Amino acid sequence: QVTLKESGPGILQPSQTLSLTCTFSGFSLSTYGMGVGWIRQPSGKGLEWLANIWWDDDKYYNPSLKNRLTISKDTSNNQAFLKITNVDTADTATYYCARMGEYFDYWGQGVMVTVSS
Amino acid sequence: EIVLTQSPTTMTASPGEKVTITCRASSSVSYMHWYQQKPGASPKPWIYETSKLASGVPDRFSGSGSGTSYSLTINNMEAEDAATYYCQQWNYPSWTFGGGTKLELK
């Protein structure tokens, strides 16, 4: 059974760095072809892909946010991480992690993050 | 980066009605994937690789298309189908989502 769960700070201030953790089970990020992606969704709005990391440590980023994003993984602990630097109120959203190949086949429940002074 | 444009943005349908949601890509893509999302819930994979139904998806749903034009169709709308649907594509090195189509029950 594949499960993913996101965790994060809940609230942070503008200019801070947002650190998110995705803890998963039922698959391994050391297995050929496996990947984990991060997607966010501001309240009442659509989905935005942020970044992916793959079994071979290959990484891809949304070009519009690339300079602010860092994705990483801890294979032994079945975790993936996303850092977003210099956050702004526009980064307020629900953040999801999802297992992926060409598409996202299992999703976490999401974690709400609010950026506010 | 490939941009996906969904239409309509919002629509209503009566029970039993046929529904078609369109997703147009700014450049040709190999496949289109679709997700269903209901309020307060995570998106669910719904149709993958253009026309394959995800596990548990009723067979009144279908997907089709190629190149820059894709669609999701519901034959015989049911109340449980009211949701927001998103298309998604992968074209190295980016994944993108459409803006979503909110489908409401009339």
Side-chain angles (χ1 to χ4, degrees):
Chain A
Q1 181 189 5
V2 174
T3 65
L4 304 98
K5 187 173 183 179
E6 307 86 350
S7 58
I11 187 166
L12 66 166
Q13 295 184 335
S15 80
Q16 290 186 320
T17 295
L18 169 60
S19 295
L20 298 166
T21 300
C22 175
T23 303
F24 54 86
S25 63
F27 69 99
S28 172
L29 255 182
S30 61
T31 300
Y32 178 89
M34 286 295 168
V36 168
W38 287 93
I39 304 101
R40 71 180 179 183
Q41 184 174 38
S43 180
K45 297 189 177 181
L47 302 169
E48 180 181 34
W49 168 70
L50 299 176
N52 302 335
I53 191 165
W54 296 91
W55 83 99
D56 59 357
D57 211 37
D58 212 359
K59 301 165 187 173
Y60 296 93
Y61 296 101
N62 185 319
S64 66
L65 294 161
K66 183 174 182 177
N67 292 340
R68 299 174 53 214
L69 302 178
T70 303
I71 193 169
S72 60
K73 62 182 172 70
D74 179 347
T75 302
S76 59
N77 287 308
N78 285 342
Q79 292 181 314
F81 310 97
L82 183 70
K83 290 188 187 295
I84 306 178
T85 60
N86 192 26
V87 298
D88 179 77
T89 54
D91 296 307
T92 294
T94 295
Y95 287 78
Y96 297 100
C97 64
R99 193 183 78 164
M100 63 176 302
E102 195 175 305
Y103 72 103
F104 305 94
D105 62 353
Y106 290 91
W107 293 63
Q109 63 189 24
V111 61
M112 287 189 61
V113 174
T114 301
V115 179
S116 174
S117 56
Chain B
E1 178 180 294
I2 292 180
V3 176
L4 299 180
T5 303
Q6 288 185 234
S7 59
T9 304
T10 307
M11 67 180 300
T12 60
S14 301
E17 189 175 341
K18 182 177 181 178
V19 171
T20 299
I21 298 170
T22 298
C23 180
R24 287 196 162 78
S26 57
S27 297
S28 181
V29 298
S30 299
Y31 292 112
M32 193 63 69
H33 315 288
W34 296 87
Y35 302 83
Q36 181 197 69
Q37 186 180 33
K38 294 190 175 182
S42 304
K44 294 181 179 179
W46 211 245
I47 297 173
Y48 65 99
E49 295 178 3
T50 301
S51 59
K52 299 175 181 178
L53 301 185
S55 177
V57 174
D59 62 6
R60 62 181 177 273
F61 284 85
S62 63
S64 64
S66 65
T68 61
S69 184
Y70 293 82
S71 62
L72 176 156
T73 299
I74 310 172
N75 283 304
N76 301 317
M77 169 82 180
E78 295 194 10
E80 66 178 12
D81 303 335
T84 301
Y85 294 87
Y86 294 93
C87 57
Q88 174 254 312
Q89 67 82 33
W90 171 78
N91 188 61
Y92 179 86
S94 290
W95 285 252
T96 53
F97 290 92
T101 295
K102 185 176 183 179
L103 173 61
E104 299 175 316
L105 184 68
K106 193 179 294 182

